[in-house]
Amino acid sequence: MPKRINLSPALEEKLLSAQKVVVLSGAGVSAESGISTFRDKDGLWEKFKPEDLATPSAFERNPQLVWEWYAYRRKKIQSVKPNPAHQAIAQMEKFFPEFLLVTQNIDNLHQKAGSKKLVELHGNINRNKCFACEKVISDTKVGSRAVPPLCSCGGYLRPDVVWFGELLHESALELAQRAALEAELFFSVGTSAIVYPAASLPFLAKEAGAFVVEINTEETEISPAVDELLLGKAEEILPGLVEFLKQNGKK
Ligand code: BJW
Ligand code: ZN
């Protein structure tokens, strides 16, 4: 049975009346599944510097190191399962006529949990892309033994994720921004909200009139600006929200 959570009357009213809902998710949503976050104690950036691994210049400097770091993370990601936070978000899309999950996560766990209405802002680790010709390969099979493996054009393959200093896919960002501008209810879940442009979405939603809710185990950059801060674990709070929707007659 999901844990009962204390919601403000304002949030309860929004949950029952909202037609347009957006969820922005970050690494904290996958923490319970065993995937390290980036900036927490024990997060990935504690052990590795982003500028050594998650930038195009890092890949140019040492493509083997970057490829192997992602190969290690890919293996871990492929071995884990979605948790109750992913499952609750997948259920949420059924309660609202217009719903969009905007994820910064590259781990595919939202899709595994059944989310359909989603946009990936930072790509997906289960795809590769050529560093030279930018051809996308929709799985992780590689026909080359080289490390990194080679594209048919001779360029190096890399994971199809967005590194620091790279532009997000224009269509993905536009979809997310439009949904944030139109949202009546916006959730920011398990993200430190410091990486832009994703971190601008809660502000965009707020300025356009949405009721903004943050779910996080600690306060973040956006906490002072949100309408409601639910401090705690996403995997406990989100199933509680879904339970509230069910109990109150939302389908
Ligand atoms: C829980 C929990 C539980 C834990 N329940 N909660 C100066 C120089 C160069 C660039 C910039 C610059 N200043 C700004 C920029 C732009 C830059 C940026 O924002 N940098 C900031 C760090 C300042 N952004 C970019 O470069 C982006 N591109 C861009 O802007 O293009 C235009 C441009 C180009 C050039 C120059 C300037 C502009 C691209 C950003 C790409 C981000 N990529 C990564 C790596 C993806 C691949 C990979 O995985 O390796 O995306 S970085 C990493 O951070 C990853 C994440 O998606 C992203 C966000 O992290 P997230 O999800 O918030 O995780 P954490 O760990 O930070 O937070 C977890 C949270 O969960 C915590 O708050 C916990 O408390 C919480 N939590 N357990 C609930 N159970
Ligand atoms: Zn190529």
Side-chain angles (χ1 to χ4, degrees):
M1 188 67 182
K3 212 165 130 179
R4 254 192 85 87
I5 46 165
N6 283 328
L7 307 174
S8 71
L11 175 53
E12 290 192 351
E13 191 277 316
K14 287 284 170 194
L15 280 167
L16 297 176
S17 67
Q19 306 282 304
K20 299 178 180 180
V21 175
V22 172
V23 174
L24 170 68
S25 73
V29 169
S30 295
E32 172 68 12
S33 294
I35 303 294
S36 298
T37 61
F38 294 92
R39 296 167 188 87
D40 289 316
K41 202 162 61 62
D42 300 328
L44 286 170
W45 294 161
E46 278 288 303
K47 295 177 212 116
F48 308 97
K49 287 202 203 108
E51 60 272 23
D52 288 343
L53 293 159
T55 66
S57 52
F59 189 72
E60 274 167 334
R61 218 169 28 242
N62 196 339
Q64 287 78 17
L65 174 74
V66 175
W67 178 267
E68 276 164 3
W69 186 59
Y70 278 96
Y72 158 79
R73 288 177 57 203
R74 213 168 237 169
K75 209 166 159 193
K76 174 75 190 168
I77 283 168
Q78 282 164 356
S79 73
V80 303
K81 291 197 184 72
N83 68 58
H86 299 105
Q87 281 149 4
I89 293 171
Q91 288 187 47
M92 278 172 81
E93 74 181 33
K94 304 195 175 82
F95 289 103
F96 305 101
E98 285 186 44
F99 179 91
L100 187 66
L101 167 61
V102 179
T103 188
Q104 300 168 83
N105 298 346
I106 58 160
D107 57 25
N108 220 34
L109 289 176
H110 284 300
Q111 290 90 331
K112 278 193 185 167
S115 279
K116 299 272 187 294
K117 297 179 183 171
L118 90 167
V119 56
E120 293 171 326
L121 285 186
H122 295 160
N124 191 308
I125 200 168
N126 287 332
R127 295 190 299 262
N128 284 320
K129 182 167 88 174
C130 175
F131 192 63
C133 73
E134 298 195 349
K135 184 170 85 174
V136 174
I137 294 146
S138 62
D139 57 31
T140 51
K141 291 194 193 88
V142 287
S144 145
R145 278 173 184 269
V147 179
L150 301 176
C151 172
S152 50
C153 81
Y156 285 135
L157 293 185
R158 54 164 282 186
D160 186 15
V161 297
V162 181
W163 285 331
F164 284 114
E166 291 187 312
L167 293 177
L168 279 65
H169 282 288
E170 206 178 315
S171 56
L173 184 58
E174 272 177 18
L175 194 63
Q177 286 170 333
R178 209 172 325 121
L181 284 171
E182 289 175 3
E184 294 155 75
L185 183 54
F186 184 104
F187 292 93
S188 177
V189 188
T191 173
S192 57
I194 61 168
V195 174
Y196 280 81
S200 64
L201 295 171
F203 294 106
L204 214 58
K206 175 79 185 148
E207 278 160 26
F211 189 90
V212 178
V213 182
E214 179 174 36
I215 302 175
N216 201 302
T217 44
E218 47 189 58
E219 292 193 21
T220 71
E221 296 286 309
I222 63 162
S223 303
V226 302
D227 295 291
E228 186 140 345
L229 171 62
L230 298 174
L231 268 183
K233 294 181 171 178
E235 61 274 20
E236 293 176 357
I237 293 174
L238 286 165
L241 284 183
V242 169
E243 194 55 27
F244 171 83
L245 291 167
K246 284 184 185 158
Q247 300 269 320
N248 287 276
K250 271 243 180 191
K251 263 204 289 191

